[in-house]
Amino acid sequence: MTKNLSAIVIGGGHNGLVCATYLASSGVKTTLLEARETLGGGLSKQTLRDGTAVPGLIQTHHSLNDKIARELKLQSTPCEPLPTTLLSTSGEHITLMGDKVSGAGVSARDISEYRAFREEYLSYGKALKSLMLNTPPRLKHFDWSDKTVFAKLGLDLRFGLGKAGLNEFLRVAGMNLFDVLEERFSSELLKGGIAADALFGNHAGPKTPTTVLPMLMRLFQETGSTASRQVAQVDNLAGQLAEAAKSAGVEIKTSTTVHSVVMDNDKPTGVMLENGDILNADIIVSNADAKTTFLKLVGARNLDGMFTHRVTKTRTNGDVAKFFATFDATPKFTNLSQNASSGRFLVAPTLMYVERAFNHCKYGEFSEAPVLDIHLTTLDNGKSLLSANAMFAPYNLKQGWEAGRAAFEDKILDILSLYAPGIASQVACRELWSPTDIEKSFHIEGGHWHHGEMAIDQSFMMRPVPGAGQYGTPVPGLYLCGAAAHPGGDITGLPGRNAAKQILADLKGRR
Amino acid sequence: MHDFTKTLAPSPFYDRIVAQSQTQNWAHWNGYQTPRVVDTVASEYFAVRSSCSVMDLTPMEKYRITGPDAKAFLNRLVVRDVSKLKPGRVTYVVWCNDEGKVIDDGTVFHLSEGVYRLCAQHHQLDWLRLSSIGFDVSIELETHDVAALSVQGPTSYSVLTEAGISGLETVKPFDIVHTQLDGFDITVSRTGFTGDLGYELWTEPENALALWDAIFEVKKRGLYDIRLIGLDALEMVRIEAGFIMPGWDFNTAETVIRDGYDRTPYELDLGWLVNLNKPYFTGKRALAAANKQPLKRKMVKLILDGNKVPSGSFIFDRKDGKNIGAVMAHSWSPILKRAIAYADIELINGQVPKEVSVEIYYQKELAWKLHWARAEVTDKPFWTPKRRSITPPDAY
């Protein structure tokens, strides 16, 4: 059924690679086109101005869903769970590792509560499994497969969680993180850390309504794999995915920028490259974000008016900047042993700190005191690299990023100095990628981590917009397979896998 | 812009309209105070059909569409191919939402190379703006910046010529000419909503009264009767002419609440407008799919037996038979001496029935009576006089 059919996957981010591999494994002649020189999108290695090779946009991530790793036959790499240290100016840091929390200032009650919290919320995450691993059901004109997904989700929620669990899930699922965390924990540092970890990549503070949802989506990933792990230590996931794609028979072309989707008689017949070459295929799959896909590659002229409008109105402006600093010697953080000062650290001392950091970006300002997700590694040349996700750094910065860049770098170093006194003077080289840089360099409209806000109105069957929420789009034969599609961003491979499943089902004439 | 804090705004012709109104019977149309009846409906109706009528068209929604992509924008907006519409020509259009359901109808005026005017029944600025994403086009609401009069009826050509507008003898239906009257610019199009010979005149609001006076001067000179008409007479003639009113005869797509209560062009008997061979337009995929399905319902024209007008009537396949729809607009047609109506009906075995039964409730000495009328289904306009289309028009 799928023999003699061809597909072009636009974009070699991890989801594009996953999707292409599934398609090729099923006998679809698949070509993957990537504009950059390297595959993996945010996972690919980058080079700083001074020539230092660094992990790219993504410094740490949860491992791919086990199911996908198995289905793609990825080599299993031993993965070291990475502790997360919540930094305190007093030096009373807290360390999170799996379900355990430790630190001098943590009460016994918070320790046991954290264990219970993890267990409970992981069960909520797990209950979303049938939604996450399937095409989201349509709300209108739904058929048998839509009903099946709804039924499975209902059963998982009701019988997976039990009556009390379901009640609690329904109570918290629409709540904000601030209220939920205030109910459960007493340590400000612990609450701030949990909130920051859940919010990274989103335009939201702990008090923003429905912020429990992105936390649940992130926790879902942990239910399918082990734990957070370090990109640098993993023998590069991007490389593994590229290998899997190649062995499945995917033809991969890097440094190949797609200019547009070629339409004939309102159907896509292929793509035109920047150099004018035309490649034909039966199916076009876009790993790009929705605005790039529809507004740039397909074009409003090939789309309906309201659909185009909806795409335009999706919230896709990123709020996270990436900061790099190299050091000749490992920087010293207060009260951290030499051994511990290589790993992952969060600067989010209280819930209100995170909330106040968020306030600024609503008005086009970067945070006076940013929230930081820091990763320290030792480079091959013996130098030390600090890479940090810094939020909130709005895409539309009032003064523009050319003017604001150095000031935000200084803000980050000011905050770092509170935890590692003198660190600013030890910096050998520093570099900041604003959301505008990320947009340009990674071809993501708005420079958004998740190709669009992971809020409830842009999730599930409404991701990225109604009408394109089931991987298929209003353009027959054009599909979305990236973070713009359900279930969204982070390194999960789920959009790529689910999209491939949907495409193959469509090709077989189901639905 | 007019002042929206006022409930009803006066049009530039307001002073003259108020002076002529015998009834002070007003309606509001798009924010303007508009006569419903000026004198009597009968005299106004016959002005359209037998002499010359004048109506203030200023309240009609008007948009000026310009810019490098104006043509491409309009062609993506409407279901008809307007890419070949020449400067100086007008065409009737409808536009649909993504699902291929009709949002509104109107006319596209290609005023001069690349400069278009879109006239619409309802306010469309939001829809036009969102439809302009990806097009280099400027869309300006110009409803309040253009004064317009509709001059319709068999003597309209003679009246306008007498009023000093020259060159109308070569103006064909749906033509536009830019000319001058007493030193100011006017645009004349051979268009209208009456199905009769007629013209629409467009000018700057500051010239409105001079235009009006030039026309009514012809009446003062005793040459022709000219009557200002209101919306009630217009309703009669537009039904006779076979024109539909979005929002009255059918639900417009972006205002309907429930699924299935909006209509495709096919269901409105406007399938002839849909061009599935032109480049993509909003609703094209949905319409292409709908076109492959058998039609389930249709707006049809009915000519009824008897003299009872089918106000709010249900339609049946036969007397006491199956209810297949309802009347959406109706009128007594004085010129045909028949009751006429538009009805939204389900097809019977996939076919438009040749005749139907109409259940009419009417009052006799205030007592309610039931009457079953046989009605013939027709696919032609009820009234299309030859004078509507001949050029040069006959001078009376």
Side-chain angles (χ1 to χ4, degrees):
Chain A
M1 204 83 66
T2 51
K3 298 280 177 262
N4 303 323
L5 286 171
S6 57
I8 288 173
V9 177
I10 304 169
H14 84 283
N15 277 311
L17 288 165
V18 167
C19 186
T21 308
Y22 275 101
L23 292 178
S25 307
S26 297
V28 179
K29 187 178 174 295
T30 307
T31 308
L32 183 141
L33 307 173
E34 168 56 48
R36 295 158 56 88
E37 289 169 18
T38 50
L39 292 165
L43 281 171
S44 60
K45 287 209 170 72
Q46 301 294 309
T47 309
L48 297 185
R49 274 194 308 271
D50 69 350
T52 312
V54 296
L57 202 53
I58 292 142
Q59 52 194 36
T60 55
H61 66 87
H62 299 281
S63 60
L64 281 190
N65 189 286
D66 280 351
K67 201 178 170 84
I68 296 180
R70 214 169 38 242
E71 286 171 350
L72 295 184
K73 300 185 190 77
L74 296 185
Q75 312 153 331
S76 61
T77 349
C79 116
E80 287 288 316
L82 195 65
T84 296
T85 304
L86 312 178
L87 295 176
S88 161
T89 44
S90 71
E92 288 197 337
H93 311 307
I94 291 178
T95 302
L96 303 177
M97 182 72 164
D99 301 337
K100 293 194 186 70
V101 51
S102 57
V106 193
S107 68
R109 194 183 159 277
D110 272 355
I111 291 172
S112 66
E113 191 64 22
Y114 187 71
R115 196 180 303 117
F117 170 79
R118 288 276 300 178
E119 192 187 340
E120 201 179 311
Y121 278 73
L122 281 169
S123 74
Y124 300 156
K126 202 172 174 182
L128 297 175
K129 185 176 165 187
S130 54
L131 190 54
M132 305 298 261
L133 292 179
N134 280 297
T135 296
R138 293 171 295 183
L139 296 176
K140 219 174 167 183
H141 318 299
F142 62 56
D143 67 7
W144 178 239
S145 63
D146 297 312
K147 284 175 193 163
T148 311
V149 176
F150 263 132
K152 274 190 195 155
L153 177 64
L155 290 173
D156 286 349
L157 287 171
R158 176 60 186 86
F159 298 105
L161 298 177
K163 195 175 174 187
L166 176 60
N167 278 344
E168 179 64 7
F169 170 80
L170 291 175
R171 185 181 78 89
V172 299
M175 278 175 72
N176 67 45
L177 281 167
F178 189 94
D179 292 348
V180 165
L181 296 174
E182 281 287 305
E183 279 176 2
R184 301 198 74 133
F185 301 107
S186 55
S187 163
E188 279 300 328
L189 185 56
L190 181 58
K191 287 183 278 190
I194 298 172
D197 220 2
L199 289 169
F200 259 101
N202 288 302
H203 180 82
K207 289 190 174 186
T208 304
T210 71
T211 33
V212 168
L213 187 73
M215 178 167 72
L216 290 180
M217 307 268 270
R218 222 158 247 175
L219 283 173
F220 168 75
Q221 276 175 260
E222 293 192 42
T223 66
S225 60
T226 13
S228 161
R229 63 184 186 183
Q230 208 175 328
V231 172
Q233 285 173 359
V234 184
D235 186 20
N236 90 63
L237 181 59
Q240 280 190 45
L241 289 169
E243 277 312 310
K246 278 174 203 154
S247 38
V250 178
E251 189 189 345
I252 295 175
K253 293 181 181 178
T254 52
S255 305
T256 305
T257 306
V258 173
H259 172 270
S260 54
V261 172
V262 179
M263 302 287 291
D264 180 36
N265 216 359
D266 306 322
K267 289 186 188 70
T269 56
V271 296
M272 188 168 93
L273 306 180
E274 292 269 271
N275 66 10
D277 287 358
I278 287 178
L279 303 178
N280 291 318
D282 301 305
I283 298 284
I284 309 293
V285 190
S286 176
N287 187 24
D289 63 276
K291 284 181 181 170
T292 301
T293 303
F294 293 114
L295 305 178
K296 288 188 184 157
L297 299 180
V298 175
R301 281 158 207 242
N302 293 305
L303 296 166
D304 292 315
M306 182 57 92
F307 180 81
T308 309
H309 172 71
R310 278 196 199 128
V311 171
T312 313
K313 291 293 170 193
T314 52
R315 304 188 301 286
T316 56
N317 287 343
D319 280 313
V320 187
K322 183 87 189 188
F323 177 74
F324 294 99
T326 54
F327 303 89
D328 293 330
T330 309
K332 181 90 186 75
F333 281 76
T334 310
N335 221 2
L336 278 181
S337 68
Q338 192 62 30
N339 189 30
S341 62
S342 160
R344 180 167 185 250
F345 309 96
L346 285 184
V347 173
T350 69
L351 276 172
M352 282 312 295
Y353 178 98
V354 182
E355 184 67 19
R356 289 204 178 93
F358 171 59
N359 282 346
H360 290 280
C361 83
K362 292 189 278 191
Y363 308 105
E365 301 156 7
F366 50 68
S367 307
E368 275 298 301
V371 177
L372 301 175
D373 168 16
I374 303 158
H375 188 232
L376 276 175
T377 41
T378 308
L379 296 167
D380 293 343
N381 58 12
K383 284 186 181 180
S384 204
L385 172 75
L386 179 148
S387 64
N389 295 310
M391 70 179 183
F392 293 82
Y395 173 80
N396 281 320
L397 187 68
K398 238 189 272 177
Q399 68 267 42
W401 275 106
E402 278 326 298
R405 183 186 311 277
F408 193 54
E409 288 175 7
D410 290 342
K411 287 274 181 255
I412 293 169
L413 286 169
D414 285 352
I415 294 296
L416 284 172
S417 303
L418 299 176
Y419 303 92
I423 193 170
S425 60
Q426 297 159 25
V427 173
C429 173
R430 69 187 205 184
E431 189 165 326
L432 183 93
W433 300 346
S434 70
T436 53
D437 300 322
I438 294 169
E439 173 180 61
K440 214 169 141 193
S441 154
F442 293 90
H443 308 276
I444 304 168
E445 188 77 18
H448 197 290
W449 269 25
H450 306 316
H451 290 198
E453 211 47 41
M454 297 266 285
I456 194 159
D457 63 319
Q458 296 190 170
S459 293
F460 311 120
M461 59 289 284
M462 290 168 304
R463 187 165 188 88
V465 290
Q470 281 79 22
Y471 306 104
T473 67
V475 182
L478 174 74
Y479 290 83
L480 294 175
C481 76
H486 170 80
D490 286 343
I491 304 303
T492 67
L494 288 171
R497 173 191 174 273
N498 293 357
K501 298 261 167 201
Q502 184 63 52
I503 293 164
L504 293 168
D506 287 352
L507 289 176
K508 285 186 183 121
R510 295 207 310 263
R511 188 135 139 181
Chain B
M1 282 300 280
H2 89 238
D3 181 1
F4 281 101
T5 60
K6 293 199 182 99
T7 314
L8 291 177
S11 101
F13 303 105
Y14 181 74
D15 291 347
R16 300 291 187 274
I17 296 170
V18 168
Q20 287 203 20
S21 178
Q22 302 293 310
T23 60
Q24 301 297 323
N25 183 351
W26 304 101
H28 54 91
W29 174 19
N30 211 0
Y32 286 92
Q33 182 177 327
T34 300
R36 192 184 296 281
V37 180
V38 179
D39 185 354
T40 64
V41 179
S43 63
E44 290 161 36
Y45 169 87
F46 280 107
V48 181
R49 291 290 178 239
S50 306
S51 57
C52 181
S53 69
V54 169
M55 182 158 176
D56 178 10
L57 209 56
T58 309
M60 183 167 62
E61 281 292 302
K62 300 180 277 290
Y63 301 92
R64 182 162 290 240
I65 294 164
T66 53
D69 289 342
K71 186 201 282 184
F73 160 77
L74 283 165
N75 218 27
R76 171 1 177 74
L77 176 77
V78 303
V79 303
R80 192 174 197 172
D81 188 357
V82 294
S83 64
K84 291 178 185 72
L85 186 71
K86 291 193 178 76
R89 290 289 290 167
V90 184
T91 195
Y92 173 69
V93 292
V94 298
W95 49 99
C96 291
N97 67 2
D98 295 12
E99 286 74 44
K101 304 300 175 74
V102 177
I103 289 178
D104 203 359
D105 73 348
T107 41
V108 176
F109 287 65
H110 196 168
L111 293 173
S112 58
E113 189 60 51
V115 178
Y116 294 87
R117 172 176 295 150
L118 177 69
C119 295
Q121 184 68 46
H122 297 281
H123 191 71
Q124 295 294 327
L125 192 57
D126 49 352
W127 187 260
L128 298 181
R129 285 264 164 87
L130 73 83
S131 297
S132 73
I133 297 163
F135 293 86
D136 186 359
V137 66
S138 146
I139 299 160
E140 288 168 76
L141 176 69
E142 60 172 10
T143 303
H144 316 296
D145 307 321
V146 179
L149 283 182
S150 179
V151 180
Q152 306 275 316
T155 61
S156 54
Y157 165 69
S158 304
V159 166
L160 292 178
T161 304
E162 283 295 335
I165 301 170
S166 56
L168 293 184
E169 63 279 0
T170 56
V171 176
K172 296 190 183 74
F174 297 106
D175 271 358
I176 305 167
V177 286
H178 305 287
T179 181
Q180 287 232 321
L181 177 67
D182 298 340
F184 59 86
D185 291 335
I186 59 165
T187 296
V188 183
S189 55
R190 189 165 163 188
T191 47
F193 204 49
T194 65
D196 221 304
L197 173 65
Y199 301 86
E200 289 169 336
L201 295 89
W202 318 78
T203 190
E204 304 260 324
E206 66 200 45
N207 306 321
L209 295 182
L211 173 64
W212 180 284
D213 291 344
I215 293 166
F216 279 93
E217 183 63 26
V218 177
K219 181 177 183 173
K220 274 193 195 153
R221 283 156 57 201
L223 296 172
Y224 294 96
D225 189 27
I226 303 170
R227 279 176 186 268
L228 175 62
I229 69 163
L231 294 175
D232 282 7
L234 184 73
E235 174 72 0
M236 296 173 73
V237 294
R238 72 96 185 169
I239 294 173
E240 286 180 340
F243 297 135
I244 55 167
M245 293 266 281
W248 281 270
D249 301 347
F250 67 94
N251 282 310
T252 58
E254 292 298 303
T255 58
V256 70
I257 295 164
R258 293 170 189 85
D259 219 22
Y261 283 80
D262 43 13
R263 295 287 178 262
T264 66
Y266 301 114
E267 291 166 334
L268 295 173
D269 204 13
L270 295 172
W272 60 278
L273 285 173
V274 182
N275 188 332
L276 294 175
N277 297 318
K278 71 164 184 165
Y280 199 75
F281 59 88
T282 298
K284 187 179 182 187
R285 281 189 192 90
L287 288 172
N291 194 33
K292 285 187 191 137
Q293 299 293 321
L295 201 59
K296 289 204 177 99
R297 57 188 319 125
K298 198 168 187 178
M299 182 81 85
V300 295
K301 298 182 191 76
L302 302 180
I303 301 176
L304 287 82
D305 288 352
N307 62 358
K308 306 285 185 291
V309 176
S311 169
S313 291
F314 281 119
I315 308 290
F316 293 77
D317 59 347
R318 58 193 155 77
K319 189 185 172 191
D320 294 322
K322 186 186 169 217
N323 177 10
I324 55 168
V327 163
M328 305 308 292
H330 60 85
S331 181
W332 174 254
S333 168
I335 202 140
L336 299 169
K337 298 190 172 54
R338 298 293 291 270
I340 57 175
Y342 298 148
D344 184 33
I345 61 163
E346 294 163 29
L347 304 197
I348 299 169
N349 301 324
Q351 299 292 319
V352 177
K354 288 195 169 60
E355 61 173 63
V356 294
S357 280
V358 187
E359 184 190 43
I360 303 174
Y361 287 80
Y362 68 101
Q363 281 180 301
K364 193 172 187 178
E365 305 278 358
L366 288 182
W368 281 101
K369 307 275 183 188
L370 168 62
H371 171 71
W372 284 92
R374 191 197 71 94
E376 177 200 336
V377 177
T378 176
D379 53 4
K380 294 193 179 62
F382 298 106
W383 171 249
T384 38
K386 200 176 271 172
R387 61 174 178 257
R388 177 191 189 181
S389 45
I390 56 171
T391 310
D394 289 332
Y396 294 98

